[in-house]
Amino acid sequence: MNFSWQKPVLFVLLLSPFLVLVADVFLGHLIDPVEEITNPTGQWAFRFLLLSLLVTPLNQILPFSIIKYRRMIGVFSFFYACLHLGIFLISQEFSGALIVEDIVKRPYVTIGFLAFILLFLLAITSTNKMMQRLGKRWKKLHKSIYLIAILIAIHFYWQAKSSMDIEPMIYTLIVLLLLSFRVDWKKWLK
C-alpha cells in the first residue's frame, strides 16, 4: 500500500489542529489567545507523540506497513511542542529571568522543559543523514522517546488544576499501555 496521496493527506490531518487554532485566533473566538492555546498545543504535541508510539504495535498487527509515517507524526509532535513552548515564552514576555524563575519554581514547567530538550534532540537527529552519521547510537538516542512520554505524562498531571482531573490519568494509562508493548514479557516472567 504505497500511494502517493497518503503522506500529503497525513500532513494535512496532522496540521489541522494548528489551522483550527489559527482560525480561532484570527476570527476572535478566543478571549485570551495566549492562555487559551497553551493547553491545546501541549495536548496535540502529546497526542501525536503517543500516536508515533502507537505506530510500532499497529504495524505488527496490520496487513500493511505504516512505519514510514512514524517520522512525520513525531516531527509534528515536535512542531506542536515548539508552539507550546513558544506560547509559554510569550506569556513570560521572553524575559530570561521570568523563564528561569518559572522553570525553577514550578516542577511541572521543569519537567516539561526537560521533555522539550530531549524531544528537540530527537527532532534534530531524525533525518536520514543523522541516522547514518550516528549509526547504532541513533537507535539508543531515539529510545529516549519512552522517557519523554513519561515526563510529558508527569508534566500534564502536575499542571492539572485538580488532582481529580481524569484527562491526565487517561493519558498516563495510554503511555503505560504503549510502553508495555516494548517490554519483553517472556524475559520478565521467567
Side-chain angles (χ1 to χ4, degrees), residues 26-38:
F26 283 110
L27 294 174
H29 294 164
L30 307 175
I31 296 168
D32 182 358
V34 171
E35 177 80 21
E36 293 179 61
I37 60 177
T38 300

Side-chain angles (χ1 to χ4, degrees), residues 63-146:
F64 51 88
S65 178
I66 59 171
I67 279 292
K68 60 185 169 255
Y69 306 118
R70 184 172 53 194
R71 186 185 324 192
M72 183 186 293
I73 296 167
V75 168
F76 265 95
S77 174
F78 178 67
F79 168 71
Y80 285 98
C82 286
L83 292 174
H84 187 63
L85 177 63
I87 294 163
F88 168 74
L89 297 175
I90 290 169
S91 73
Q92 300 300 316
E93 300 170 359
F94 295 98
S95 165
L98 288 176
I99 293 164
V100 170
E101 179 184 330
D102 222 19
I103 289 171
V104 171
K105 188 172 77 172
R106 297 181 184 181
Y108 77 89
V109 175
T110 308
I111 295 287
F113 193 70
L114 178 59
F116 179 83
I117 290 169
L118 292 171
L119 195 58
F120 173 77
L121 291 174
L122 297 189
I124 63 170
T125 60
S126 68
T127 63
N128 290 338
K129 197 170 195 170
M130 286 302 290
M131 287 173 74
Q132 291 172 341
R133 184 179 291 168
L134 292 172
K136 291 180 182 180
R137 294 174 299 174
W138 182 89
K139 201 166 201 165
K140 286 181 182 178
L141 174 64
H142 279 255
K143 285 188 177 193
S144 66
I145 193 70
Y146 310 136

Side-chain angles (χ1 to χ4, degrees), residues 12-52:
V12 170
L13 288 173
L14 296 171
L15 189 62
S16 61
F18 171 72
L19 297 175
V20 169
L21 288 172
V22 169
D24 283 344
V25 169
F26 283 110
L27 294 174
H29 294 164
L30 307 175
I31 296 168
D32 182 358
V34 171
E35 177 80 21
E36 293 179 61
I37 60 177
T38 300
N39 285 343
T41 53
Q43 288 168 337
W44 282 110
F46 196 18
R47 289 172 186 150
F48 290 143
L49 182 127
L50 295 176
L51 184 59
S52 73

Side-chain angles (χ1 to χ4, degrees), residues 1-8 63-69:
M1 278 187 73
N2 190 11
F3 303 111
S4 61
W5 55 268
Q6 291 174 333
K7 282 194 175 182
F64 51 88
S65 178
I66 59 171
I67 279 292
K68 60 185 169 255
Y69 306 118

